Amino acid sequence: MKAVGLDEPLFVRRGEGAYVTTADGGRYVDWVMSFGPLIFGHADRETIEAVQQTADEGTTFGATTEREVELAAEIVDAFPSIEQVRMVSSGTEAAMSAVRLARGATRRDRILKFAGCYHGHADALLAEAGSGPATLGVPATAGVPAGATADTIVAPYNDIEAAATAVARYGEGLACVIVEPVAGNMGVVPPAPGFLEALRELCDASGALLVFDEVITGFRIARGGAQERFELNADLTVLGKIVGGGMPIGAFGGSEEIMRHLAPVGEVYQAGTLSGNPLATAAGIAVLRRLRDPELYEELERRSARLEAGLKDMALVQRVGAMLTLFFTKGSDPDESGARSVANFSQASECDTARYSEYFRHMLERDIYVPPSQFEAMFVSLAHGDEEIAKTVEAAAEFFGA
């Protein structure tokens, strides 16, 4: 919480619907929603009951269960690019494993990532990251040896020319291009027109695999994530968050041709005792089966659009589906140029983080919990009603003097 001027973090005691209650008795409208997975809000009854019933049967076995297959089937049904799925225990583990698989399948070492895109805290992927590292004002982290990132190439997000230059220079040794198709860890930054399509073409031309990190976007901005929304398929997809219904889980998947390189069939080792944990898979199934209903996404879009409409005249708002960020671009409120946008990590880094900190504390004093960083997203859930949206817009208007 130091990023927003608080010496102590909020200690949450419980959540219910769109609200969290803290240990000191505060009750807040929650726009963080555990950073994305809680589409149905806190303590969703159906999800809780699924976990409780499963816990009665045991919490971990170190062996496969039918629920893993059922959850994998939901993922495969939602993502046409995925034929097989491997369960892990976190988004970090999923991204790390997907990169290892890409290297093993292509017999190449180098990877291309984009500044400000966060793919978990595996060493090779912390060359330049957003979210936590960005908030602390550091491009990477101590504890990562130089050799761990020696084969990691970093280009600016949304810069097609830079990506093409990197592929032209390193293409023969490039195992994969990994990207957040909608950046969510430098704040919400949509892909520029043609950017994702250009990455697809560059990978096809060079033989590298295109890896979409959909830990945040998967099942949130559409049932089939960014790949459905932008009508583009990746070679490997990294998932987390919602596929566990708020429980710790991760997954990665792709075509049978690529996935067969994984052990025990193939030569790329990956394993984990708690992978596909029965509690997490039970929660994930309870959520994903309900998300087959397209009307739920239409309702999420309506609520998100209303929140955006209420905030956009006060500061720069960037939204894709049910995730959005209020950017405090330096200069004025609103920006005098009228041409406000944040397209990459460099531009996000120029935002007025001190002003955002003031905004965060203002909102918290009015019982509204927004992300504790300029570089995070607000997540709209089906538990957020018109009352919560109106209260949030009113409090923001008071801050901006609107």
Side-chain angles (χ1 to χ4, degrees), residues 50-73:
V51 172
Q52 289 173 337
Q53 292 171 7
T54 302
D56 286 338
E57 302 168 3
T59 58
T60 179
F61 306 111
T64 53
T65 67
E66 290 183 6
R67 289 187 186 88
E68 291 179 65
V69 179
E70 293 172 7
L71 182 59

Side-chain angles (χ1 to χ4, degrees), residues 251-295:
F252 62 102
S255 68
E256 187 275 335
E257 180 182 2
I258 295 173
M259 296 297 286
R260 71 185 179 191
H261 289 278
L262 283 173
V265 175
E267 67 284 8
V268 179
Y269 184 75
Q270 184 279 324
T273 301
L274 295 177
S275 297
N277 177 270
L279 302 184
T281 53
I285 291 167
V287 168
L288 297 196
R289 284 181 175 168
R290 281 180 285 169
L291 291 179
R292 294 175 183 176
D293 183 357
E295 292 185 3

Side-chain angles (χ1 to χ4, degrees), residues 35-37 75 79 88-92 94-95 213-220 237-252 288:
F35 296 99
I75 293 170
F79 287 82
V88 292
S89 296
S90 70
T92 288
D213 184 340
E214 298 228 40
V215 167
I216 292 177
T217 54
F219 292 95
R220 171 156 281 280
T237 301
V238 178
L239 296 166
K241 305 283 188 185
I242 296 168
V243 297
M247 298 287 287
I249 201 170
F252 62 102
L288 297 196

